[in-house]
């Protein structure tokens, strides 16, 4: 399966390239970005972006993860969005991060809507789940704008050994609309 290019109103989503590594390290390595994610390390180690990008092609090909670079029309990297695929269960787990300099512009919602519009039919998903840290309500607003419904809350261990409160959401295929 060829990695598609997805179009949104102000953005496009495509495969990460090795040349994106410096921008990934700069954007994802921002402490304020990393603190609101489950898995981005801080400080962001040299070589991590290259290693992370190298996993995307094989994961896409074997149907376990579909990661996309979120870009402006000029190709500038804004962030990342992915659906971890559980095809046997016909479900996915949505995750994303947006560089701090791009916060507050609706890019996460726009990118997620484009990705879900592709993911539900392309992989026959019936449900997509997502979580956000309780300390990051802006991410919860993104999920709600997508039509996701809160399904619970729990403690989760992320990067640090200390558990943090997270909020769980889900969206069934029948409840998704690609329109804003």
């Amino acid at each position: 399966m060829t990695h598609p290019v997805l179009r949104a109103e102000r953005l496009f989503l495509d495969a990460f390239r090795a040349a994106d590594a410096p921008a990934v390290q700069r954007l994802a390595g921002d402490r304020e970005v990393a603190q609101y994610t489950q898995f981005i390390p801080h400080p962001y180690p040299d070589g991590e972006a290259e290693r992370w990008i190298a996993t995307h092609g094989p994961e896409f090909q074997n149907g376990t993860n579909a990661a996309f670079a979120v870009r402006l029309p000029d190709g500038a990297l804004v962030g990342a969005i992915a659906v971890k695929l559980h095809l046997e269960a016909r479900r996915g787990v949505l995750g994303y991060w947006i560089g701090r300099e791009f916060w507050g512009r609706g890019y996460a919602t726009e990118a997620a809507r484009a990705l879900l519009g592709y993911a539900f039919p392309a992989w026959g998903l019936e449900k997509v789940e997502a979580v956000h840290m309780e300390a990051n309500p802006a991410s919860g607003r993104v999920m709600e704008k997508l039509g996701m419904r809160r399904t619970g809350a729990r403690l989760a261990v992320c990067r640090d050994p200390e558990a943090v409160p997270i909020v769980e959401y889900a969206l069934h295929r029948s409840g998704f609309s690609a329109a804003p």
Side-chain angles (χ1 to χ4, degrees):
M1 179 184 254
T2 303
H3 200 292
V5 175
L6 307 178
R7 304 275 175 204
E9 184 180 339
R10 302 169 296 160
L11 306 167
F12 71 96
L13 286 62
D14 69 353
F16 276 94
R17 301 180 281 275
D20 292 323
V24 169
Q25 184 165 2
R26 180 178 61 79
L27 295 171
D30 183 314
R31 186 168 101 55
E32 290 190 50
V33 172
Q35 77 179 350
Y36 292 125
T37 68
Q38 288 185 282
F39 305 111
I40 295 176
H42 186 79
Y44 202 93
D46 289 341
E48 178 61 20
E50 291 85 353
R51 186 206 62 74
W52 179 69
I53 290 168
T55 67
H56 295 166
E59 290 175 342
F60 190 84
Q61 291 305 314
N62 70 25
T64 58
N65 192 46
F68 289 81
V70 179
R71 300 182 192 279
L72 296 175
D74 66 3
L77 185 68
V78 168
I81 191 161
V83 174
K84 184 163 184 61
L85 299 164
H86 303 277
L87 296 178
E88 67 290 343
R90 299 183 65 184
R91 72 177 186 89
V93 179
L94 178 69
Y96 50 85
W97 58 263
I98 299 293
R100 184 167 44 113
E101 64 200 74
F102 302 106
W103 288 359
R105 299 181 193 180
Y107 291 158
T109 304
E110 188 174 328
R113 191 169 278 119
L115 179 53
L116 293 178
Y118 171 77
F120 276 117
W123 291 296
L125 302 179
E126 288 299 322
K127 181 169 83 169
V128 172
E129 301 164 326
V131 300
H132 73 85
M133 291 183 176
E134 193 175 82
N136 184 14
S139 195
R141 287 191 295 278
V142 168
M143 293 170 197
E144 290 167 358
K145 289 177 194 173
L146 295 170
M148 298 185 106
R149 300 289 177 241
R150 184 180 168 144
T151 58
R154 61 184 165 87
L155 292 176
V157 175
C158 299
R159 291 171 312 281
D160 303 320
E162 187 174 324
V164 297
I166 63 169
V167 183
E168 302 168 314
Y169 284 79
L171 174 63
H172 291 272
R173 180 184 194 145
S174 61
F176 175 68
S177 171

